[in-house]
Amino acid sequence: MPRFTESWFDGHIPGWEHLFFRELGWDPAAPRRIVEIGCFEGRATIWMLENLLRHPDSRIHCIDSFAGGAEHHTRQVERLHERFRANIEESGHAAKVEVLHGNSADGLLRLIARGDVAPAMIYVDGSHEAPDVLSDLVLSFRLAPPGGVILCDDYLWSREAEGSTDLLHCPKLAIDAFTNIYRRRIEFLGARLGGQVAFRKRAA
């Protein structure tokens, strides 16, 4: 059975269920692809495999450096890649998981260059530094097909508790910048997502 040291994702499950099953009418039995930027121990990964990707041909492409970010303590990232791999194996869904080990920009560019991945959803939950988040969103938009959903985590996360007031240390600045610049090419979704932001790519 998979083991997790953190339960950050659990609070998002009701909002995700409403978004995918009520708002989007997502059919988990249909073959789909998802890209996850930042998978940590695989808690969200496994939920998506079990609830959104039930078709045998469905796949999830996980991009992570497994080095953690500014929000992680040393103990949280110790042997993180091993923990993720073990959890995926224990879940019984390893055949549906592709891991792109490295930074998110490189991983997204690899998927774009391949040209064979048209994700129905991209989950942006990697680095929380604004420049990195902005890069992830721009590249995710390129990768997503028309109708593809991009879901951003930790919209209001900041390092204020650590004494930092630098706006570049939070995702909000990047998410706001991207959604303002691309506002005519996206449709906002997920009124019940709380601290997350979701939108759908419109047709050109």
Side-chain angles (χ1 to χ4, degrees), residues 37-39 63-64 71-72 104 123-129 133 136:
I37 303 169
C39 47
I63 305 173
D64 204 312
E71 67 274 22
H72 298 124
S104 55
Y123 185 33
V124 181
D125 187 24
S127 168
H128 287 20
E129 301 293 310
V133 177
D136 288 346

Side-chain angles (χ1 to χ4, degrees), residues 1 4 16 20 30 38-39 48 50-51 57 70 72 80 106 109 114-115 131 134 137 143 154 159 171 182 188 193:
M1 184 174 182
F4 308 105
W16 280 43
F20 287 103
C39 47
M48 287 185 275
E50 293 178 346
N51 293 275
D57 293 333
H72 298 124
L80 179 56
D106 289 345
L109 286 169
R114 275 168 45 177
L134 185 58
L137 287 170
L143 178 62
D154 289 326
R159 298 176 64 183
Y182 283 77
F188 283 101
L193 287 175

Side-chain angles (χ1 to χ4, degrees), residues 152-168:
C152 308
D153 192 29
D154 289 326
Y155 175 64
L156 296 175
W157 182 89
S158 73
R159 298 176 64 183
E160 287 185 4
E162 303 170 13
S164 174
T165 57
D166 189 339
L167 292 177
L168 294 179

Side-chain angles (χ1 to χ4, degrees), residues 22 46 52 54-55 60 62 67 77 82 84 96 100-101 115 119 126 140 145 152 162 166 170 178 196 198 200-201 203:
R22 296 187 183 180
I46 293 172
L52 304 181
R54 295 179 185 169
H55 192 281
I60 186 166
C62 298
V77 298
E82 294 177 37
F84 171 80
K96 293 184 177 182
L100 290 86
H101 193 166
S140 292
C152 308
E162 303 170 13
D166 189 339
C170 63
F178 178 87
Q196 297 185 317
R200 177 163 42 198
K201 181 176 179 177

Side-chain angles (χ1 to χ4, degrees), residues 45-204:
T45 315
I46 293 172
W47 188 91
M48 287 185 275
L49 287 162
E50 293 178 346
N51 293 275
L52 304 181
L53 300 172
R54 295 179 185 169
H55 192 281
D57 293 333
S58 289
R59 296 289 183 271
I60 186 166
H61 308 270
C62 298
I63 305 173
D64 204 312
S65 67
F66 297 99
E71 67 274 22
H72 298 124
H73 301 295
T74 302
R75 63 173 179 78
Q76 292 175 317
V77 298
E78 185 177 359
R79 301 179 67 183
L80 179 56
H81 190 203
E82 294 177 37
R83 299 203 312 270
F84 171 80
R85 285 288 193 183
N87 285 334
I88 295 301
E89 289 293 335
E90 288 288 332
S91 76
H93 301 294
K96 293 184 177 182
V97 180
E98 178 189 17
V99 179
L100 290 86
H101 193 166
N103 70 62
S104 55
D106 289 345
L108 288 166
L109 286 169
R110 283 169 60 188
L111 293 178
I112 291 168
R114 275 168 45 177
D116 63 349
V117 178
M121 197 270 279
I122 301 174
Y123 185 33
V124 181
D125 187 24
S127 168
H128 287 20
E129 301 293 310
D132 297 331
V133 177
L134 185 58
S135 172
D136 288 346
L137 287 170
V138 170
L139 292 174
S140 292
F141 191 84
R142 284 184 58 188
L143 178 62
V149 173
I150 298 175
L151 202 166
C152 308
D153 192 29
D154 289 326
Y155 175 64
L156 296 175
W157 182 89
S158 73
R159 298 176 64 183
E160 287 185 4
E162 303 170 13
S164 174
T165 57
D166 189 339
L167 292 177
L168 294 179
H169 291 323
C170 63
K172 184 179 185 299
L173 179 65
I175 295 170
D176 288 347
F178 178 87
T179 54
N180 279 319
I181 293 168
Y182 283 77
R183 65 187 181 278
R184 294 177 181 167
R185 301 182 65 186
I186 63 174
E187 172 192 359
F188 283 101
L189 304 165
R192 302 187 184 186
L193 287 175
Q196 297 185 317
V197 174
F199 49 88
R200 177 163 42 198
K201 181 176 179 177
R202 295 181 184 272

